[in-house]
Amino acid sequence: MATAIVTGASQGIGACIIKRLAKDGYDCVVNCYPSDSDKENAEAVKAECESFGVKAIVYPCDVSKYDDCEKMVKDIKAEFGSIDVLVNNAGITKDGLLARMSEEQYDAVIAVNQKSVFNMMKHVGSVMMRQRSGKVVNLASVAGVYGNPGQFNYSASKAAIIGMTKTAAKELGSRGVNVNAVAPGFIKTPMTDTLTDEQRNAMLSVIAMKRYGTVDEIAGVVSFLVSDDASYVTGQVIEISGGLSM
Ligand code: NAP
């Protein structure tokens, strides 16, 4: 049985992706931030994964921490034998205009959104290279492609993820490892629930489909990218934004 890890999978897009991968037949590692509430939510996600007849575990780990990621990957490899899919989904926002953004706001977002991708790809990448197979999907954002006022830190982290995706695709391609990114637009999740009505309306006015996306619409594309149908797709950034920009 193939194994999938999704980081930050206790809610939102990550929870939906890991459940979709369970439905697709993967054994599942539900990573979550190591807080009591995240662990509780992750246990519920795990139970939903198991309802598809696969093995699932919750693994709390702050993915911004290098050593903790190394241990998590080692433990998962020991328990499951292989790591076939990695979805780097964990992310945070700490929005503010550049003029008012603090160093703490900048560093926190870079640590969770960007460094975590290095931490996970470094360790999972070496497992996949030795296996000579594997699929990685990184969660970028339209903010990393086009920029977004108030998200200097977030846009920086997501643009970096695009560069990391393309570089890793070039480094790992000959070892049978595909690395792609998805760049969601405005998706309804706890992360976007914090936006003001003014921010929401501004987003809607530039979306061709005139609606927000759903978590299932992200999970469906990830499911395709890790499937055999996408075996010759690597180093790509698939925008899932309802036509935010064309
Ligand atoms: P979300 O609902 O806030 O979920 C993100 C998850 O990541 C949360 O469960 C969060 O836990 C977890 N997380 C945060 N820091 C972590 C850490 N250090 N270690 C482990 N887990 C951690 O956000 P979402 O909307 O589902 O977003 C998922 C991904 O899609 C993110 O990378 C985001 O940037 C990207 N994205 C989202 C949208 C959108 O419109 N929603 C658009 C473009 C891209 P806590 O709740 O404890 O922080």
PDB file of all heavy atoms in Angstrom, residues 8 10-14 31-33 35 38 61-64 89-92 112-113 139-141 154 158 184-187 189-192, ligand 1:
ATOM      1  N   GLY A   8      -0.075  20.001   7.911  1.00  0.00           N
ATOM      2  CA  GLY A   8      -1.151  20.939   8.275  1.00  0.00           C
ATOM      3  C   GLY A   8      -2.515  20.425   7.844  1.00  0.00           C
ATOM      4  O   GLY A   8      -3.323  21.169   7.290  1.00  0.00           O
ATOM      5  N   SER A  10      -5.111  19.173   9.642  1.00  0.00           N
ATOM      6  CA  SER A  10      -6.191  19.047  10.637  1.00  0.00           C
ATOM      7  C   SER A  10      -7.437  19.842  10.250  1.00  0.00           C
ATOM      8  O   SER A  10      -8.485  19.696  10.873  1.00  0.00           O
ATOM      9  CB  SER A  10      -5.694  19.493  12.020  1.00  0.00           C
ATOM     10  OG  SER A  10      -5.272  20.833  11.964  1.00  0.00           O
ATOM     11  N   GLN A  11      -7.323  20.698   9.235  1.00  0.00           N
ATOM     12  CA  GLN A  11      -8.496  21.497   8.811  1.00  0.00           C
ATOM     13  C   GLN A  11      -8.255  22.010   7.386  1.00  0.00           C
ATOM     14  O   GLN A  11      -7.195  21.796   6.798  1.00  0.00           O
ATOM     15  CB  GLN A  11      -8.709  22.698   9.735  1.00  0.00           C
ATOM     16  CG  GLN A  11      -7.562  23.719   9.686  1.00  0.00           C
ATOM     17  CD  GLN A  11      -7.827  24.981  10.504  1.00  0.00           C
ATOM     18  OE1 GLN A  11      -8.453  24.914  11.553  1.00  0.00           O
ATOM     19  NE2 GLN A  11      -7.363  26.119  10.017  1.00  0.00           N
ATOM     20  N   GLY A  12      -9.258  22.699   6.851  1.00  0.00           N
ATOM     21  CA  GLY A  12      -9.120  23.415   5.584  1.00  0.00           C
ATOM     22  C   GLY A  12      -8.707  22.533   4.404  1.00  0.00           C
ATOM     23  O   GLY A  12      -9.138  21.376   4.278  1.00  0.00           O
ATOM     24  N   ILE A  13      -7.850  23.083   3.556  1.00  0.00           N
ATOM     25  CA  ILE A  13      -7.445  22.403   2.317  1.00  0.00           C
ATOM     26  C   ILE A  13      -6.706  21.096   2.629  1.00  0.00           C
ATOM     27  O   ILE A  13      -6.953  20.064   2.000  1.00  0.00           O
ATOM     28  CB  ILE A  13      -6.550  23.352   1.475  1.00  0.00           C
ATOM     29  CG1 ILE A  13      -7.384  24.543   0.955  1.00  0.00           C
ATOM     30  CG2 ILE A  13      -5.903  22.612   0.315  1.00  0.00           C
ATOM     31  CD1 ILE A  13      -6.561  25.657   0.301  1.00  0.00           C
ATOM     32  N   GLY A  14      -5.810  21.129   3.626  1.00  0.00           N
ATOM     33  CA  GLY A  14      -5.014  19.937   3.959  1.00  0.00           C
ATOM     34  C   GLY A  14      -5.885  18.773   4.387  1.00  0.00           C
ATOM     35  O   GLY A  14      -5.645  17.621   3.976  1.00  0.00           O
ATOM     36  N   ASN A  31      -0.529  15.068   9.330  1.00  0.00           N
ATOM     37  CA  ASN A  31       0.332  15.933  10.156  1.00  0.00           C
ATOM     38  C   ASN A  31      -0.492  17.123  10.646  1.00  0.00           C
ATOM     39  O   ASN A  31      -1.358  17.617   9.924  1.00  0.00           O
ATOM     40  CB  ASN A  31       1.536  16.442   9.355  1.00  0.00           C
ATOM     41  CG  ASN A  31       2.187  17.652  10.024  1.00  0.00           C
ATOM     42  OD1 ASN A  31       2.012  18.776   9.571  1.00  0.00           O
ATOM     43  ND2 ASN A  31       2.897  17.451  11.128  1.00  0.00           N
ATOM     44  N   CYS A  32      -0.218  17.544  11.885  1.00  0.00           N
ATOM     45  CA  CYS A  32      -0.870  18.753  12.389  1.00  0.00           C
ATOM     46  C   CYS A  32       0.100  19.503  13.289  1.00  0.00           C
ATOM     47  O   CYS A  32       1.095  18.931  13.757  1.00  0.00           O
ATOM     48  CB  CYS A  32      -2.145  18.422  13.173  1.00  0.00           C
ATOM     49  SG  CYS A  32      -1.839  17.537  14.698  1.00  0.00           S
ATOM     50  N   TYR A  33      -0.199  20.769  13.520  1.00  0.00           N
ATOM     51  CA  TYR A  33       0.577  21.545  14.487  1.00  0.00           C
ATOM     52  C   TYR A  33       0.372  20.903  15.868  1.00  0.00           C
ATOM     53  O   TYR A  33      -0.746  20.481  16.192  1.00  0.00           O
ATOM     54  CB  TYR A  33       0.102  23.005  14.484  1.00  0.00           C
ATOM     55  CG  TYR A  33       0.977  23.885  15.334  1.00  0.00           C
ATOM     56  CD1 TYR A  33       2.206  24.311  14.873  1.00  0.00           C
ATOM     57  CD2 TYR A  33       0.572  24.244  16.621  1.00  0.00           C
ATOM     58  CE1 TYR A  33       3.030  25.086  15.668  1.00  0.00           C
ATOM     59  CE2 TYR A  33       1.400  25.016  17.425  1.00  0.00           C
ATOM     60  CZ  TYR A  33       2.626  25.433  16.938  1.00  0.00           C
ATOM     61  OH  TYR A  33       3.450  26.188  17.728  1.00  0.00           O
ATOM     62  N   SER A  35      -0.673  21.285  18.837  1.00  0.00           N
ATOM     63  CA  SER A  35      -1.498  21.886  19.902  1.00  0.00           C
ATOM     64  C   SER A  35      -2.670  20.948  20.172  1.00  0.00           C
ATOM     65  O   SER A  35      -3.018  20.119  19.310  1.00  0.00           O
ATOM     66  CB  SER A  35      -2.032  23.255  19.472  1.00  0.00           C
ATOM     67  OG  SER A  35      -3.095  23.079  18.553  1.00  0.00           O
ATOM     68  N   ASP A  38      -5.538  21.280  17.548  1.00  0.00           N
ATOM     69  CA  ASP A  38      -5.172  20.726  16.225  1.00  0.00           C
ATOM     70  C   ASP A  38      -5.174  19.199  16.279  1.00  0.00           C
ATOM     71  O   ASP A  38      -5.625  18.537  15.344  1.00  0.00           O
ATOM     72  CB  ASP A  38      -3.792  21.231  15.791  1.00  0.00           C
ATOM     73  CG  ASP A  38      -3.820  22.686  15.365  1.00  0.00           C
ATOM     74  OD1 ASP A  38      -4.004  23.550  16.246  1.00  0.00           O
ATOM     75  OD2 ASP A  38      -3.678  22.976  14.177  1.00  0.00           O
ATOM     76  N   CYS A  61       3.566  17.679  14.553  1.00  0.00           N
ATOM     77  CA  CYS A  61       4.959  18.131  14.355  1.00  0.00           C
ATOM     78  C   CYS A  61       4.908  19.539  13.785  1.00  0.00           C
ATOM     79  O   CYS A  61       4.174  19.789  12.822  1.00  0.00           O
ATOM     80  CB  CYS A  61       5.665  17.182  13.374  1.00  0.00           C
ATOM     81  SG  CYS A  61       7.262  17.771  12.767  1.00  0.00           S
ATOM     82  N   ASP A  62       5.676  20.425  14.380  1.00  0.00           N
ATOM     83  CA  ASP A  62       5.788  21.788  13.846  1.00  0.00           C
ATOM     84  C   ASP A  62       6.747  21.723  12.662  1.00  0.00           C
ATOM     85  O   ASP A  62       7.963  21.562  12.847  1.00  0.00           O
ATOM     86  CB  ASP A  62       6.322  22.713  14.943  1.00  0.00           C
ATOM     87  CG  ASP A  62       6.533  24.141  14.468  1.00  0.00           C
ATOM     88  OD1 ASP A  62       6.508  24.374  13.244  1.00  0.00           O
ATOM     89  OD2 ASP A  62       6.745  25.016  15.331  1.00  0.00           O
ATOM     90  N   VAL A  63       6.207  21.859  11.461  1.00  0.00           N
ATOM     91  CA  VAL A  63       7.034  21.621  10.271  1.00  0.00           C
ATOM     92  C   VAL A  63       8.016  22.763   9.983  1.00  0.00           C
ATOM     93  O   VAL A  63       8.829  22.658   9.070  1.00  0.00           O
ATOM     94  CB  VAL A  63       6.185  21.296   9.015  1.00  0.00           C
ATOM     95  CG1 VAL A  63       5.571  19.917   9.117  1.00  0.00           C
ATOM     96  CG2 VAL A  63       5.133  22.355   8.737  1.00  0.00           C
ATOM     97  N   SER A  64       7.959  23.825  10.777  1.00  0.00           N
ATOM     98  CA  SER A  64       8.981  24.868  10.623  1.00  0.00           C
ATOM     99  C   SER A  64      10.291  24.472  11.317  1.00  0.00           C
ATOM    100  O   SER A  64      11.300  25.140  11.189  1.00  0.00           O
ATOM    101  CB  SER A  64       8.480  26.213  11.168  1.00  0.00           C
ATOM    102  OG  SER A  64       8.373  26.168  12.577  1.00  0.00           O
ATOM    103  N   ASN A  89       1.445  21.417   2.660  1.00  0.00           N
ATOM    104  CA  ASN A  89       0.254  22.266   2.707  1.00  0.00           C
ATOM    105  C   ASN A  89       0.263  23.269   3.854  1.00  0.00           C
ATOM    106  O   ASN A  89      -0.368  24.316   3.760  1.00  0.00           O
ATOM    107  CB  ASN A  89      -0.988  21.351   2.829  1.00  0.00           C
ATOM    108  CG  ASN A  89      -2.231  22.106   3.239  1.00  0.00           C
ATOM    109  OD1 ASN A  89      -2.900  22.717   2.418  1.00  0.00           O
ATOM    110  ND2 ASN A  89      -2.551  22.103   4.540  1.00  0.00           N
ATOM    111  N   ALA A  90       0.979  22.955   4.958  1.00  0.00           N
ATOM    112  CA  ALA A  90       0.912  23.818   6.156  1.00  0.00           C
ATOM    113  C   ALA A  90       1.250  25.259   5.785  1.00  0.00           C
ATOM    114  O   ALA A  90       2.196  25.513   5.035  1.00  0.00           O
ATOM    115  CB  ALA A  90       1.887  23.318   7.215  1.00  0.00           C
ATOM    116  N   GLY A  91       0.468  26.180   6.303  1.00  0.00           N
ATOM    117  CA  GLY A  91       0.737  27.580   5.990  1.00  0.00           C
ATOM    118  C   GLY A  91       0.005  28.501   6.944  1.00  0.00           C
ATOM    119  O   GLY A  91      -0.988  28.118   7.573  1.00  0.00           O
ATOM    120  N   ILE A  92       0.539  29.708   7.064  1.00  0.00           N
ATOM    121  CA  ILE A  92      -0.097  30.729   7.899  1.00  0.00           C
ATOM    122  C   ILE A  92      -0.046  32.066   7.155  1.00  0.00           C
ATOM    123  O   ILE A  92       0.714  32.226   6.199  1.00  0.00           O
ATOM    124  CB  ILE A  92       0.604  30.907   9.271  1.00  0.00           C
ATOM    125  CG1 ILE A  92       2.096  31.277   9.098  1.00  0.00           C
ATOM    126  CG2 ILE A  92       0.458  29.660  10.130  1.00  0.00           C
ATOM    127  CD1 ILE A  92       2.775  31.739  10.393  1.00  0.00           C
ATOM    128  N   VAL A 112       7.214  29.147   8.587  1.00  0.00           N
ATOM    129  CA  VAL A 112       6.184  28.101   8.435  1.00  0.00           C
ATOM    130  C   VAL A 112       5.938  27.774   6.958  1.00  0.00           C
ATOM    131  O   VAL A 112       5.863  26.610   6.572  1.00  0.00           O
ATOM    132  CB  VAL A 112       4.854  28.519   9.111  1.00  0.00           C
ATOM    133  CG1 VAL A 112       3.769  27.474   8.827  1.00  0.00           C
ATOM    134  CG2 VAL A 112       5.043  28.710  10.600  1.00  0.00           C
ATOM    135  N   ASN A 113       5.804  28.779   6.127  1.00  0.00           N
ATOM    136  CA  ASN A 113       5.397  28.513   4.740  1.00  0.00           C
ATOM    137  C   ASN A 113       6.557  28.048   3.855  1.00  0.00           C
ATOM    138  O   ASN A 113       6.364  27.234   2.966  1.00  0.00           O
ATOM    139  CB  ASN A 113       4.800  29.768   4.109  1.00  0.00           C
ATOM    140  CG  ASN A 113       3.519  30.214   4.791  1.00  0.00           C
ATOM    141  OD1 ASN A 113       3.150  29.694   5.841  1.00  0.00           O
ATOM    142  ND2 ASN A 113       2.841  31.185   4.207  1.00  0.00           N
ATOM    143  N   LEU A 139       1.928  23.554  -1.918  1.00  0.00           N
ATOM    144  CA  LEU A 139       0.857  24.562  -1.978  1.00  0.00           C
ATOM    145  C   LEU A 139       1.482  25.939  -2.110  1.00  0.00           C
ATOM    146  O   LEU A 139       2.011  26.485  -1.141  1.00  0.00           O
ATOM    147  CB  LEU A 139      -0.024  24.480  -0.716  1.00  0.00           C
ATOM    148  CG  LEU A 139      -1.263  23.573  -0.749  1.00  0.00           C
ATOM    149  CD1 LEU A 139      -2.379  24.167  -1.605  1.00  0.00           C
ATOM    150  CD2 LEU A 139      -0.950  22.160  -1.205  1.00  0.00           C
ATOM    151  N   ALA A 140       1.438  26.477  -3.321  1.00  0.00           N
ATOM    152  CA  ALA A 140       1.849  27.866  -3.532  1.00  0.00           C
ATOM    153  C   ALA A 140       0.591  28.721  -3.398  1.00  0.00           C
ATOM    154  O   ALA A 140      -0.312  28.393  -2.616  1.00  0.00           O
ATOM    155  CB  ALA A 140       2.516  28.015  -4.895  1.00  0.00           C
ATOM    156  N   SER A 141       0.512  29.798  -4.144  1.00  0.00           N
ATOM    157  CA  SER A 141      -0.665  30.674  -4.093  1.00  0.00           C
ATOM    158  C   SER A 141      -0.573  31.658  -5.251  1.00  0.00           C
ATOM    159  O   SER A 141       0.539  31.999  -5.692  1.00  0.00           O
ATOM    160  CB  SER A 141      -0.692  31.450  -2.775  1.00  0.00           C
ATOM    161  OG  SER A 141      -1.617  32.530  -2.850  1.00  0.00           O
ATOM    162  N   TYR A 154       3.828  36.731   2.908  1.00  0.00           N
ATOM    163  CA  TYR A 154       3.148  35.540   2.344  1.00  0.00           C
ATOM    164  C   TYR A 154       3.523  35.369   0.868  1.00  0.00           C
ATOM    165  O   TYR A 154       3.851  34.258   0.420  1.00  0.00           O
ATOM    166  CB  TYR A 154       1.646  35.733   2.515  1.00  0.00           C
ATOM    167  CG  TYR A 154       0.785  34.567   2.098  1.00  0.00           C
ATOM    168  CD1 TYR A 154       0.625  33.457   2.926  1.00  0.00           C
ATOM    169  CD2 TYR A 154       0.099  34.576   0.882  1.00  0.00           C
ATOM    170  CE1 TYR A 154      -0.188  32.395   2.551  1.00  0.00           C
ATOM    171  CE2 TYR A 154      -0.709  33.524   0.504  1.00  0.00           C
ATOM    172  CZ  TYR A 154      -0.850  32.430   1.342  1.00  0.00           C
ATOM    173  OH  TYR A 154      -1.650  31.386   0.961  1.00  0.00           O
ATOM    174  N   LYS A 158       5.437  32.196  -0.922  1.00  0.00           N
ATOM    175  CA  LYS A 158       4.782  31.387  -1.962  1.00  0.00           C
ATOM    176  C   LYS A 158       5.547  31.456  -3.286  1.00  0.00           C
ATOM    177  O   LYS A 158       5.591  30.486  -4.040  1.00  0.00           O
ATOM    178  CB  LYS A 158       3.324  31.821  -2.134  1.00  0.00           C
ATOM    179  CG  LYS A 158       2.464  31.569  -0.892  1.00  0.00           C
ATOM    180  CD  LYS A 158       2.436  30.085  -0.529  1.00  0.00           C
ATOM    181  CE  LYS A 158       1.508  29.771   0.628  1.00  0.00           C
ATOM    182  NZ  LYS A 158       1.490  28.330   0.962  1.00  0.00           N
ATOM    183  N   PRO A 184      -3.529  28.013  -5.533  1.00  0.00           N
ATOM    184  CA  PRO A 184      -4.948  28.337  -5.380  1.00  0.00           C
ATOM    185  C   PRO A 184      -5.170  29.850  -5.384  1.00  0.00           C
ATOM    186  O   PRO A 184      -4.290  30.633  -4.999  1.00  0.00           O
ATOM    187  CB  PRO A 184      -5.311  27.757  -4.007  1.00  0.00           C
ATOM    188  CG  PRO A 184      -4.225  26.798  -3.658  1.00  0.00           C
ATOM    189  CD  PRO A 184      -2.996  27.339  -4.332  1.00  0.00           C
ATOM    190  N   GLY A 185      -6.369  30.212  -5.799  1.00  0.00           N
ATOM    191  CA  GLY A 185      -6.796  31.604  -5.682  1.00  0.00           C
ATOM    192  C   GLY A 185      -7.495  31.784  -4.349  1.00  0.00           C
ATOM    193  O   GLY A 185      -6.916  31.521  -3.292  1.00  0.00           O
ATOM    194  N   PHE A 186      -8.759  32.190  -4.378  1.00  0.00           N
ATOM    195  CA  PHE A 186      -9.507  32.439  -3.140  1.00  0.00           C
ATOM    196  C   PHE A 186     -10.356  31.206  -2.835  1.00  0.00           C
ATOM    197  O   PHE A 186     -11.355  30.949  -3.498  1.00  0.00           O
ATOM    198  CB  PHE A 186     -10.384  33.679  -3.328  1.00  0.00           C
ATOM    199  CG  PHE A 186     -11.041  34.124  -2.068  1.00  0.00           C
ATOM    200  CD1 PHE A 186     -10.519  35.167  -1.312  1.00  0.00           C
ATOM    201  CD2 PHE A 186     -12.194  33.487  -1.613  1.00  0.00           C
ATOM    202  CE1 PHE A 186     -11.128  35.560  -0.137  1.00  0.00           C
ATOM    203  CE2 PHE A 186     -12.809  33.885  -0.437  1.00  0.00           C
ATOM    204  CZ  PHE A 186     -12.272  34.926   0.304  1.00  0.00           C
ATOM    205  N   ILE A 187      -9.944  30.455  -1.816  1.00  0.00           N
ATOM    206  CA  ILE A 187     -10.641  29.215  -1.442  1.00  0.00           C
ATOM    207  C   ILE A 187     -11.256  29.413  -0.066  1.00  0.00           C
ATOM    208  O   ILE A 187     -10.597  29.939   0.846  1.00  0.00           O
ATOM    209  CB  ILE A 187      -9.659  28.016  -1.403  1.00  0.00           C
ATOM    210  CG1 ILE A 187      -8.801  27.960  -2.673  1.00  0.00           C
ATOM    211  CG2 ILE A 187     -10.408  26.707  -1.166  1.00  0.00           C
ATOM    212  CD1 ILE A 187      -9.525  27.836  -3.976  1.00  0.00           C
ATOM    213  N   THR A 189     -11.884  28.712   3.402  1.00  0.00           N
ATOM    214  CA  THR A 189     -11.321  27.902   4.497  1.00  0.00           C
ATOM    215  C   THR A 189     -11.211  28.799   5.737  1.00  0.00           C
ATOM    216  O   THR A 189     -11.398  30.015   5.631  1.00  0.00           O
ATOM    217  CB  THR A 189      -9.878  27.406   4.171  1.00  0.00           C
ATOM    218  OG1 THR A 189      -9.001  28.543   4.176  1.00  0.00           O
ATOM    219  CG2 THR A 189      -9.776  26.684   2.852  1.00  0.00           C
ATOM    220  N   PRO A 190     -10.837  28.213   6.900  1.00  0.00           N
ATOM    221  CA  PRO A 190     -10.629  29.062   8.087  1.00  0.00           C
ATOM    222  C   PRO A 190      -9.622  30.182   7.824  1.00  0.00           C
ATOM    223  O   PRO A 190      -9.713  31.262   8.415  1.00  0.00           O
ATOM    224  CB  PRO A 190     -10.102  28.075   9.134  1.00  0.00           C
ATOM    225  CG  PRO A 190     -10.705  26.765   8.742  1.00  0.00           C
ATOM    226  CD  PRO A 190     -10.745  26.777   7.239  1.00  0.00           C
ATOM    227  N   MET A 191      -8.623  29.948   6.910  1.00  0.00           N
ATOM    228  CA  MET A 191      -7.623  30.985   6.636  1.00  0.00           C
ATOM    229  C   MET A 191      -8.273  32.216   6.003  1.00  0.00           C
ATOM    230  O   MET A 191      -7.959  33.354   6.355  1.00  0.00           O
ATOM    231  CB  MET A 191      -6.531  30.440   5.698  1.00  0.00           C
ATOM    232  CG  MET A 191      -5.435  31.447   5.375  1.00  0.00           C
ATOM    233  SD  MET A 191      -4.154  30.753   4.300  1.00  0.00           S
ATOM    234  CE  MET A 191      -3.044  30.015   5.489  1.00  0.00           C
ATOM    235  N   THR A 192      -9.196  31.996   5.068  1.00  0.00           N
ATOM    236  CA  THR A 192      -9.802  33.133   4.366  1.00  0.00           C
ATOM    237  C   THR A 192     -11.032  33.676   5.100  1.00  0.00           C
ATOM    238  O   THR A 192     -11.511  34.754   4.766  1.00  0.00           O
ATOM    239  CB  THR A 192     -10.174  32.746   2.917  1.00  0.00           C
ATOM    240  OG1 THR A 192     -10.839  31.484   2.940  1.00  0.00           O
ATOM    241  CG2 THR A 192      -8.948  32.636   2.043  1.00  0.00           C
TER     242      THR A 192
HETATM  243  P1  NAP B   1      -5.796  26.796   7.182  1.00  0.00           P
HETATM  244  O1  NAP B   1      -7.240  26.448   7.218  1.00  0.00           O
HETATM  245  O2  NAP B   1      -5.310  27.865   8.086  1.00  0.00           O
HETATM  246  O3  NAP B   1      -4.932  25.475   7.367  1.00  0.00           O
HETATM  247  C1  NAP B   1      -3.533  25.494   7.465  1.00  0.00           C
HETATM  248  C2  NAP B   1      -3.132  24.425   8.426  1.00  0.00           C
HETATM  249  O4  NAP B   1      -1.688  24.442   8.585  1.00  0.00           O
HETATM  250  C3  NAP B   1      -3.736  24.658   9.811  1.00  0.00           C
HETATM  251  O5  NAP B   1      -4.261  23.472  10.295  1.00  0.00           O
HETATM  252  C4  NAP B   1      -2.517  25.104  10.612  1.00  0.00           C
HETATM  253  O6  NAP B   1      -2.604  24.859  11.997  1.00  0.00           O
HETATM  254  C5  NAP B   1      -1.420  24.285   9.968  1.00  0.00           C
HETATM  255  N1  NAP B   1      -0.121  24.787  10.381  1.00  0.00           N
HETATM  256  C6  NAP B   1       0.265  26.068  10.576  1.00  0.00           C
HETATM  257  N2  NAP B   1       1.514  26.128  11.002  1.00  0.00           N
HETATM  258  C7  NAP B   1       1.955  24.846  11.107  1.00  0.00           C
HETATM  259  C8  NAP B   1       3.183  24.264  11.497  1.00  0.00           C
HETATM  260  N3  NAP B   1       4.228  25.025  11.868  1.00  0.00           N
HETATM  261  N4  NAP B   1       3.294  22.913  11.498  1.00  0.00           N
HETATM  262  C9  NAP B   1       2.254  22.134  11.133  1.00  0.00           C
HETATM  263  N5  NAP B   1       1.061  22.645  10.733  1.00  0.00           N
HETATM  264  C10 NAP B   1       0.923  23.978  10.720  1.00  0.00           C
HETATM  265  O7  NAP B   1      -5.383  27.240   5.703  1.00  0.00           O
HETATM  266  P2  NAP B   1      -5.883  26.735   4.270  1.00  0.00           P
HETATM  267  O8  NAP B   1      -6.682  27.834   3.676  1.00  0.00           O
HETATM  268  O9  NAP B   1      -6.441  25.353   4.352  1.00  0.00           O
HETATM  269  O10 NAP B   1      -4.485  26.741   3.512  1.00  0.00           O
HETATM  270  C11 NAP B   1      -3.741  25.559   3.255  1.00  0.00           C
HETATM  271  C12 NAP B   1      -2.601  25.926   2.310  1.00  0.00           C
HETATM  272  O11 NAP B   1      -3.126  26.473   1.103  1.00  0.00           O
HETATM  273  C13 NAP B   1      -1.667  26.989   2.894  1.00  0.00           C
HETATM  274  O12 NAP B   1      -0.335  26.715   2.510  1.00  0.00           O
HETATM  275  C14 NAP B   1      -2.150  28.256   2.217  1.00  0.00           C
HETATM  276  O13 NAP B   1      -1.155  29.234   2.158  1.00  0.00           O
HETATM  277  C15 NAP B   1      -2.544  27.727   0.852  1.00  0.00           C
HETATM  278  N6  NAP B   1      -3.489  28.595   0.169  1.00  0.00           N
HETATM  279  C16 NAP B   1      -4.737  28.838   0.655  1.00  0.00           C
HETATM  280  C17 NAP B   1      -5.611  29.667  -0.042  1.00  0.00           C
HETATM  281  C18 NAP B   1      -6.994  29.947   0.418  1.00  0.00           C
HETATM  282  O14 NAP B   1      -7.678  30.749  -0.236  1.00  0.00           O
HETATM  283  N7  NAP B   1      -7.478  29.363   1.498  1.00  0.00           N
HETATM  284  C19 NAP B   1      -5.184  30.267  -1.225  1.00  0.00           C
HETATM  285  C20 NAP B   1      -3.911  30.024  -1.690  1.00  0.00           C
HETATM  286  C21 NAP B   1      -3.067  29.163  -0.995  1.00  0.00           C
HETATM  287  P3  NAP B   1      -3.112  26.085  12.964  1.00  0.00           P
HETATM  288  O15 NAP B   1      -4.557  26.254  12.628  1.00  0.00           O
HETATM  289  O16 NAP B   1      -2.823  25.604  14.327  1.00  0.00           O
HETATM  290  O17 NAP B   1      -2.279  27.305  12.566  1.00  0.00           O
END
